[in-house]
Amino acid sequence: MPYVNIKITDENVSAEDKKALIEGATQLLQDVLGKNPATTVVVIDEVNTDNWGIGGEQVTHRRQRGQ
Amino acid sequence: MPYVNIKITDENVSAEDKKALIEGATQLLQDVLGKNPATTVVVIDEVNTDNWGIGGEQVTHRRQRGQ
Amino acid sequence: MPYVNIKITDENVSAEDKKALIEGATQLLQDVLGKNPATTVVVIDEVNTDNWGIGGEQVTHRRQRGQ
Amino acid sequence: MPYVNIKITDENVSAEDKKALIEGATQLLQDVLGKNPATTVVVIDEVNTDNWGIGGEQVTHRRQRGQ
Amino acid sequence: MPYVNIKITDENVSAEDKKALIEGATQLLQDVLGKNPATTVVVIDEVNTDNWGIGGEQVTHRRQRGQ
Amino acid sequence: MPYVNIKITDENVSAEDKKALIEGATQLLQDVLGKNPATTVVVIDEVNTDNWGIGGEQVTHRRQRGQ
């Protein structure tokens, strides 16, 4: 019954990548806590790099600096 | 003062549907807990079917299987 | 497959109230969008009135003012 | 280490505005709680006015009424 | 830079279990998307079974029915 | 109408600190985007250090290492 929300920047994440995240997160909850995969929900949010900040700086700027 | 977040897949949800969700959720909080509708906030997130998983499977695939 | 998160202040919300919120939100998604109740998830967060602000003011203070 | 999520309606918010929100929120956590800016994360979600309700009414309608 | 939020019911989850969830989720983001673990944040929310519903039913009741 | 969610570790955050976070976040949205404070909502979540991970490590362990 777990709910997992994964937030990442929207930098060319493929449908295959998302498939792997959904499978991996569902497996993790089963491995660690024995949760039934049938009712595990995973939602991936892709966030524009202008809208994500770390260290007080937009990711857009970090990318321009090569980070 | 409640805050309600509704996450659904982005499959042709109309503005009228969203209006009904907002009205219904606001009414529910008033009916059950007597919350003042004036300060009830409802936010609807529409999520791509590639980004939503249940049972370890992307909703995109479930739809292709007719589920 | 919807996911509904309801945030309310932790002011004597009974188990029966929570039951009614879960039933009502699940019904709303079925009524408006035809969503299957079996995979609708509802999570209720109860938040201390010190931790909730509206109008720049803690709810604790609003309650002391009779609001 | 704080995580701040800011949800606003998607009404012409510029990259500069977002930069100011990220800087301001990071500063606030440092000023009030002494949190290290290096590990403070800020994520801004822009929400369509059809998908945001307050007082049981879509923001789209409120805007049409001049609010 | 990812942010992962894991919501589970508060049913005797040990500190070791939480450690395993944090390590596993961080590893997953590195394996699938090459994300730097140093800036990956994982937050686990434990939710009372009265406050979690699926299929329109409180988890508390499901547990009483042996589910 | 903004909604701001601040997640921090539950390490002796006083009611006064929370008051300052609520006032500061509300002011920030008014300063940057001209948002009306009356409908700005701020919710603070305090998270146990066992339940928060960064760099694949629980904050509880980081604190023991003096970080």
Side-chain angles (χ1 to χ4, degrees), chain D residues 4 21 26-27 30 35 39-40 57:
Chain D
V4 181
L21 290 174
T26 305
Q27 188 66 51
Q30 184 171 29
K35 297 293 184 183
T39 52
T40 294
E57 183 185 15

mmCIF file of all heavy atoms in Angstrom, chain D residues 4 21 26-27 30 35 39-40 57:
data_model
loop_
_atom_site.group_PDB
_atom_site.id
_atom_site.type_symbol
_atom_site.label_atom_id
_atom_site.label_comp_id
_atom_site.label_asym_id
_atom_site.label_seq_id
_atom_site.Cartn_x
_atom_site.Cartn_y
_atom_site.Cartn_z
ATOM 1 N N VAL D 4 11.673 22.647 0.595
ATOM 2 C CA VAL D 4 10.574 23.606 0.511
ATOM 3 C C VAL D 4 9.877 23.434 -0.831
ATOM 4 O O VAL D 4 10.524 23.436 -1.882
ATOM 5 C CB VAL D 4 11.089 25.063 0.631
ATOM 6 C CG1 VAL D 4 9.925 26.047 0.560
ATOM 7 C CG2 VAL D 4 11.882 25.256 1.914
ATOM 8 N N LEU D 21 12.397 33.469 -5.581
ATOM 9 C CA LEU D 21 11.725 32.585 -4.618
ATOM 10 C C LEU D 21 12.708 31.574 -4.031
ATOM 11 O O LEU D 21 12.707 31.298 -2.828
ATOM 12 C CB LEU D 21 10.568 31.836 -5.301
ATOM 13 C CG LEU D 21 9.352 32.676 -5.690
ATOM 14 C CD1 LEU D 21 8.362 31.836 -6.489
ATOM 15 C CD2 LEU D 21 8.655 33.245 -4.452
ATOM 16 N N THR D 26 15.554 29.834 0.683
ATOM 17 C CA THR D 26 16.805 29.286 1.227
ATOM 18 C C THR D 26 17.335 30.190 2.340
ATOM 19 O O THR D 26 17.776 29.719 3.396
ATOM 20 C CB THR D 26 17.841 29.141 0.093
ATOM 21 O OG1 THR D 26 17.268 28.349 -0.962
ATOM 22 C CG2 THR D 26 19.121 28.479 0.587
ATOM 23 N N GLN D 27 17.254 31.499 2.106
ATOM 24 C CA GLN D 27 17.693 32.481 3.107
ATOM 25 C C GLN D 27 16.841 32.387 4.374
ATOM 26 O O GLN D 27 17.357 32.452 5.491
ATOM 27 C CB GLN D 27 17.588 33.891 2.498
ATOM 28 C CG GLN D 27 18.189 34.988 3.356
ATOM 29 C CD GLN D 27 19.695 34.854 3.484
ATOM 30 O OE1 GLN D 27 20.398 34.724 2.490
ATOM 31 N NE2 GLN D 27 20.197 34.853 4.709
ATOM 32 N N GLN D 30 17.860 29.629 6.573
ATOM 33 C CA GLN D 30 19.138 29.934 7.232
ATOM 34 C C GLN D 30 18.921 30.945 8.373
ATOM 35 O O GLN D 30 19.441 30.760 9.474
ATOM 36 C CB GLN D 30 20.127 30.486 6.212
ATOM 37 C CG GLN D 30 21.502 30.739 6.804
ATOM 38 C CD GLN D 30 22.552 31.083 5.766
ATOM 39 O OE1 GLN D 30 22.242 31.649 4.716
ATOM 40 N NE2 GLN D 30 23.803 30.736 6.048
ATOM 41 N N LYS D 35 19.907 26.771 9.033
ATOM 42 C CA LYS D 35 20.115 25.654 8.107
ATOM 43 C C LYS D 35 21.165 26.012 7.059
ATOM 44 O O LYS D 35 21.169 27.126 6.512
ATOM 45 C CB LYS D 35 18.805 25.287 7.409
ATOM 46 C CG LYS D 35 17.713 24.786 8.336
ATOM 47 C CD LYS D 35 18.067 23.435 8.958
ATOM 48 C CE LYS D 35 16.910 22.904 9.798
ATOM 49 N NZ LYS D 35 17.248 21.633 10.466
ATOM 50 N N THR D 39 22.482 22.423 1.383
ATOM 51 C CA THR D 39 21.617 21.246 1.258
ATOM 52 C C THR D 39 20.127 21.589 1.350
ATOM 53 O O THR D 39 19.293 20.712 1.557
ATOM 54 C CB THR D 39 21.972 20.191 2.339
ATOM 55 O OG1 THR D 39 21.980 20.834 3.617
ATOM 56 C CG2 THR D 39 23.326 19.560 2.080
ATOM 57 N N THR D 40 19.801 22.862 1.196
ATOM 58 C CA THR D 40 18.391 23.241 1.150
ATOM 59 C C THR D 40 17.886 23.109 -0.289
ATOM 60 O O THR D 40 18.497 23.640 -1.213
ATOM 61 C CB THR D 40 18.187 24.685 1.655
ATOM 62 O OG1 THR D 40 18.522 24.736 3.039
ATOM 63 C CG2 THR D 40 16.746 25.146 1.466
ATOM 64 N N GLU D 57 -14.209 27.166 -5.737
ATOM 65 C CA GLU D 57 -14.300 27.762 -7.085
ATOM 66 C C GLU D 57 -12.947 27.701 -7.788
ATOM 67 O O GLU D 57 -11.908 27.958 -7.178
ATOM 68 C CB GLU D 57 -14.714 29.239 -6.906
ATOM 69 C CG GLU D 57 -14.930 29.977 -8.198
ATOM 70 C CD GLU D 57 -15.219 31.470 -7.992
ATOM 71 O OE1 GLU D 57 -14.980 31.984 -6.868
ATOM 72 O OE2 GLU D 57 -15.664 32.116 -8.956
#
